[in-house]
Amino acid sequence: MRSLRSGALAVLTASAVALSMTGASAHDPTTAEGQAAARTFLADHLPADRHAVTGTADGVPCVNGKADIYPCRNVDLLSVLPLSAMGGGNGNDIWGWTDPSSGKEYAIVGRTNGTAFVDVSTPTAPKFLGNLPSNGGSSSWRDMKVYQDHAFIVADFITGHGMQVFDLTRLRTVTTPQTFTADALYKDFGPAHNIAINEETGYAYAIGSNTCSGGPHMVDIRTPKQPKNAGCVAQDGYTHDNQCVVYRGPDAAYQGREICFNSNEDTLTIVDVTDKANPVQIVRKGYSGAQYSHQGWLTEDQRYFLLDDELDEQRGSDKRTRTYIWDLQSLANPVHTGVYNSPATAIDHNQYVKGKYSYQANYQAGLRILDISGIGSAQLTEAGYFDIYPAGDQASFNGAWSNYPYFGSGIVVVNGIEQGLVVVKPNLGAVEPPPTGGKFENTADVSIPDAGAAVTSPITVSGVSGNAPATLAVSVDIKHSYRGDLTVDLVAPDGTSFRLKGSDSDSGDNVVTTYTVNASAEVANGTWQLKVQDVYRADTGYIDAWSLQF
């Protein structure tokens, strides 16, 4: 059995280089490897896109897979506000605020040179209200969250930036675009990569700063304009992103405690921060296939955690966008139960869960929306998408940086590195056309010899007219003690082979997932085969079952 590559991949560069970068995530900038990766990110830089879509009262519906120039499915386009129309620069993070007095909805749009505030209460005609300039220079990485009608904004690689505090109620009286100043500035750290806020407790967590070994720098913001240092979480070093909640999940030992779920470069690290003077690390858990643990979000019942790994698409053998599923029945022993493999091949970046959906901003693949109702059996499905980067779908740092799906109106705002503010409306209740056929399944076990010849399992399809669909669903259930040993292919009746999975260093058990294959060039009827080969010694398994959904 091969050992996994060890250690986190630290991917950034020194500040002089980083300030000019536009399309990456700021990682711990201390290694030669990080500086080499930064040069790769720089190669992805593109000028801002000036394509605008405004003034249509009903927006642009998604019809036959397109809305305006953008590929889509079950998501309609309402408007696009280019970066040139809201202060320039390139885009990065985004958040939202709903005015409790008027119900108006506002997008808080991060840019390399500042933060834009946009009234999206008429989503087909967004209105730029003004800009809060960056405190001390330009940065590719700006992040913001909201608490008690105030925005809290940090930026990476700006020595004295600190945390800007902006009173959002000031937007109520704005009629023409303004240049704003911050209401307060917290200076106990300089640069910070990200910020999380637990709105229930009134604490902010600045992460990836120049303090606390890069771990969460805790700030008491219960009086928003008077933030106070509350302590550090430094046991596991650099934290890239996190979510902190008052815990109400299934683990009785931590009920009512304030718990942070940290994406720590190569692990999911869970910390009890109830006592700010004495945070307690509950667990530090790695996973098979880790390249850079970037960001994640809890399901609303706090039982499961969905994790993005930013570099596995570039560095793994399976180039499709992967979402890692964690069962948190026990916080001290989180279990990695499976992986969702997207039909896209872009890098995943930020995702947020609302109800039974995860809203993912996946760079060149745009906004991808996953139905997570089958998460208990590690089965996720794509419910819709809106691709703001129609030029490609590669593992490069362009397109959708982040999204905000929590507006009461149901709109979702996406911030594109080149595109700016994209306002869309998911239509997830849309009726899909019925499949041209049905489900065909083989449940007979087929043993897979250790480091041996490939084996096949057949399914004979009949009664389906025409060709197979462009979204042929191939569900596989393969029991194996080291899934990285396996290559898996779908073989069409005419012998055409579709690679579903390559071999890699993933030491996890079993391959239980659904792949999507564009088989539209193949006649549906005939005998299809699942072809599996174990290419390394030491582990064995068998094909338990597989199916085709036409």
Side-chain angles (χ1 to χ4, degrees):
M1 183 181 296
R2 285 126 358 264
S3 62
L4 291 174
R5 290 181 290 272
S6 61
L9 181 64
V11 280
L12 265 198
T13 184
S15 59
V17 175
L19 293 179
S20 66
M21 294 172 59
T22 52
S25 293
H27 305 142
D28 194 0
T30 58
T31 67
E33 186 178 15
Q35 294 184 17
R39 289 190 290 272
T40 301
F41 294 147
L42 281 168
D44 294 336
H45 173 79
L46 292 173
D49 190 342
R50 292 179 175 269
H51 184 77
V53 180
T54 57
T56 54
D58 297 321
V60 183
C62 179
V63 177
N64 296 324
K66 277 288 189 70
D68 193 67
I69 64 172
Y70 304 103
C72 58
R73 175 172 172 258
N74 293 342
V75 181
D76 297 328
L77 174 63
L78 300 180
S79 58
V80 178
L81 188 64
L83 289 150
S84 58
M86 51 178 175
N90 281 86
N92 41 57
D93 224 306
I94 191 167
W95 206 246
W97 173 62
T98 300
D99 187 342
S101 67
S102 66
K104 280 191 170 185
E105 296 174 339
Y106 298 84
I108 306 168
V109 185
R111 304 176 348 273
T112 51
N113 55 352
T115 305
F117 301 94
V118 182
D119 181 345
V120 292
S121 52
T122 303
T124 54
K127 183 178 180 181
F128 172 57
L129 301 179
N131 175 51
L132 176 64
S134 179
N135 183 37
S138 180
S139 173
S140 293
W141 308 280
R142 191 173 307 279
D143 196 70
M144 66 291 298
K145 298 294 185 296
V146 169
Y147 172 74
Q148 291 293 332
D149 303 326
H150 289 72
F152 299 81
I153 303 163
V154 300
D156 209 349
F157 288 93
I158 299 177
T159 301
H161 188 280
M163 180 178 72
Q164 296 172 304
V165 183
F166 180 79
D167 187 342
L168 293 163
T169 64
R170 295 164 60 184
L171 302 178
R172 292 170 175 165
T173 58
V174 175
T175 56
T176 58
Q178 300 182 11
T179 299
F180 296 108
T181 57
D183 293 279
L185 182 64
Y186 177 82
K187 298 182 178 180
D188 282 10
F189 58 81
H193 184 62
N194 256 313
I195 185 170
I197 291 178
N198 185 351
E199 295 184 49
E200 191 168 355
T201 62
Y203 282 88
Y205 299 85
I207 43 190
S209 78
N210 61 333
T211 64
C212 305
S213 300
H217 178 123
M218 299 180 283
V219 187
D220 182 347
I221 58 171
R222 288 174 290 182
T223 303
K225 292 184 180 70
Q226 299 175 15
K228 299 176 182 178
N229 192 327
C232 281
V233 180
Q235 297 97 319
D236 193 29
Y238 186 90
T239 298
H240 190 79
D241 210 324
N242 76 348
Q243 182 187 11
C244 300
V245 300
V246 175
Y247 182 71
R248 297 184 178 88
D251 191 336
Y254 294 96
Q255 287 283 336
R257 310 286 293 177
E258 187 168 11
I259 307 296
C260 289
F261 298 83
N262 299 337
S263 299
N264 271 35
E265 299 193 295
D266 57 350
T267 62
L268 169 62
T269 300
I270 303 176
V271 183
D272 185 338
V273 297
T274 308
D275 181 354
K276 302 298 184 290
N278 186 34
V280 177
Q281 183 171 296
I282 299 170
V283 70
R284 181 180 186 274
K285 193 67 175 288
Y287 56 98
S288 299
Q291 295 293 336
Y292 199 91
S293 310
H294 178 268
Q295 186 263 2
W297 211 253
L298 292 164
T299 55
E300 291 185 347
D301 63 2
Q302 299 180 356
R303 169 66 186 270
Y304 299 96
F305 187 79
L306 297 176
L307 176 70
D308 295 324
D309 188 302
E310 190 178 31
L311 296 180
D312 57 350
E313 293 83 13
Q314 285 188 331
R315 295 176 172 262
S317 60
D318 188 338
K319 301 302 182 182
R320 286 170 302 170
T321 311
R322 294 159 66 84
T323 302
Y324 294 81
I325 304 165
W326 292 84
D327 187 338
L328 304 181
Q329 178 69 32
S330 167
L331 293 190
N333 185 31
V335 178
H336 172 212
T337 59
V339 176
Y340 167 76
N341 292 288
S342 169
T345 56
I347 297 169
D348 45 359
H349 198 224
N350 288 335
Q351 65 177 314
Y352 300 100
V353 173
K354 179 182 179 182
K356 71 171 188 173
Y357 297 104
S358 176
Y359 295 78
Q360 301 186 335
N362 291 346
Y363 282 127
Q364 286 199 9
L367 175 70
R368 317 296 289 205
I369 304 174
L370 303 186
D371 184 333
I372 63 172
S373 54
I375 196 170
S377 56
Q379 297 293 317
L380 312 182
T381 58
E382 189 169 80
Y385 64 85
F386 194 91
D387 186 354
I388 73 169
Y389 191 86
D393 187 18
Q394 302 305 307
S396 298
F397 296 93
N398 314 100
W401 183 288
S402 196
N403 77 96
Y404 179 82
Y406 297 115
F407 287 124
S409 64
I411 67 171
V412 177
V413 290
V414 182
N415 196 8
I417 296 168
E418 299 88 6
Q419 297 75 21
L421 177 65
V422 182
V423 186
V424 299
K425 182 70 177 286
N427 184 23
L428 302 179
V431 177
E432 292 288 315
T436 58
K439 181 179 180 180
F440 298 83
E441 187 173 20
N442 187 339
T443 60
D445 293 351
V446 178
S447 295
I448 304 169
D450 185 28
V455 296
T456 59
S457 174
I459 288 178
T460 299
V461 176
S462 61
V464 180
S465 60
N467 285 4
T471 55
L472 178 63
V474 186
S475 297
V476 302
D477 184 347
I478 301 172
K479 302 298 192 293
H480 198 276
S481 52
Y482 195 105
R483 58 179 171 236
D485 286 358
L486 300 178
T487 64
V488 183
D489 297 276
L490 175 70
V491 182
D494 68 355
T496 301
S497 184
F498 300 88
R499 174 55 55 96
L500 305 180
K501 177 191 176 302
S503 61
D504 54 31
S505 59
D506 186 345
S507 64
D509 295 341
N510 307 329
V511 180
V512 183
T513 190
T514 298
Y515 301 99
T516 302
V517 173
N518 183 354
S520 57
E522 304 295 325
V523 174
N525 290 334
T527 299
W528 297 73
Q529 297 185 81
L530 188 70
K531 179 181 176 182
V532 181
Q533 185 173 13
D534 184 330
V535 297
Y536 294 102
R537 295 195 180 279
D539 294 270
T540 59
Y542 62 95
I543 302 172
D544 192 0
W546 73 289
S547 66
L548 296 170
Q549 176 68 61
F550 287 83

